[in-house]
Amino acid sequence: MRDTDTALLRLMRTRGHSPGLERLARTLGKAGNNGAIWVAIGLVLAIADSAQRESWLIVAALGPIAIGLNYVVKLIVRRPRPVLEGLPPLGGAPSSLSFPSAHATSSFAVATAMTRVDPLGALAVILALALSLGRPYLGMHYPSDVLAGAILGIALGLLIPLSL
């Protein structure tokens, strides 16, 4: 499994790269730090949709909450970030721990919860996929880190109560 993970990571680090796509992946990665993009989207939706305000505020809080829970898993697993000879990562990270991807966990937690609030929230899955796939594209995570983060995020997004 580890060889497949590394081979897929190498493929994502060497194919389909352009300055524009790398810039987009870095920008999305920065927007996903600490769940910031998800907080912003949730707050905008809370303002725009007063009938569902409480649910949207919970959605807004879910990104940072998911990152906190993700970090607990990182501390337990302690998997180091990938190192590919001759292919340094194209971004920085606050931790040297890789598994699971906090960006994927928070993104899929929020996208899943958004879909529960409003079916149009499913559009957030597109952003969650782009943000998450950018992590191995930049060399920040193994693909399995992203997959595990997405699974953890979906579970959180399904389990979190959307009202107090």
Side-chain angles (χ1 to χ4, degrees):
M1 177 67 178
R2 181 162 222 147
D3 290 342
T4 302
D5 211 17
T6 302
L8 187 53
L9 173 64
R10 185 172 297 284
L11 180 74
M12 292 179 81
R13 279 290 289 117
T14 58
R15 301 287 188 265
H17 279 258
S18 70
L21 283 176
E22 289 175 1
R23 195 170 32 257
L24 175 62
R26 279 194 296 273
T27 300
L28 283 174
K30 287 179 185 174
N33 286 345
N34 304 312
I37 193 168
W38 300 112
V39 171
I41 290 170
L43 291 175
V44 166
L45 291 169
I47 292 166
D49 182 5
S50 61
Q52 300 280 359
R53 182 165 289 137
E54 180 182 20
S55 296
W56 291 124
L57 290 172
I58 292 168
V59 165
L62 183 55
I65 290 168
I67 288 174
L69 292 172
N70 178 280
Y71 193 66
V72 171
V73 177
K74 281 184 188 289
L75 290 174
I76 293 167
V77 175
R78 301 192 96 37
R79 182 183 197 183
R81 291 199 183 266
V83 176
L84 294 176
E85 189 174 323
L87 290 170
L90 301 176
S95 164
S96 62
L97 302 175
S98 185
F99 184 92
S101 164
H103 282 76
T105 301
S106 63
S107 294
F108 279 94
V110 173
T112 301
M114 288 176 74
T115 301
R116 290 174 53 212
V117 176
D118 185 317
L120 285 176
L123 293 172
V125 172
I126 297 166
L127 179 57
L129 274 169
L131 206 151
S132 299
L133 290 174
R135 307 313 287 163
Y137 179 83
L138 294 172
M140 304 301 299
H141 284 284
Y142 290 99
S144 62
D145 299 338
V146 171
L147 179 60
I151 291 168
L152 177 59
I154 290 168
L156 287 171
L158 290 172
L159 294 173
I160 193 81
L162 294 175
S163 66
L164 298 176

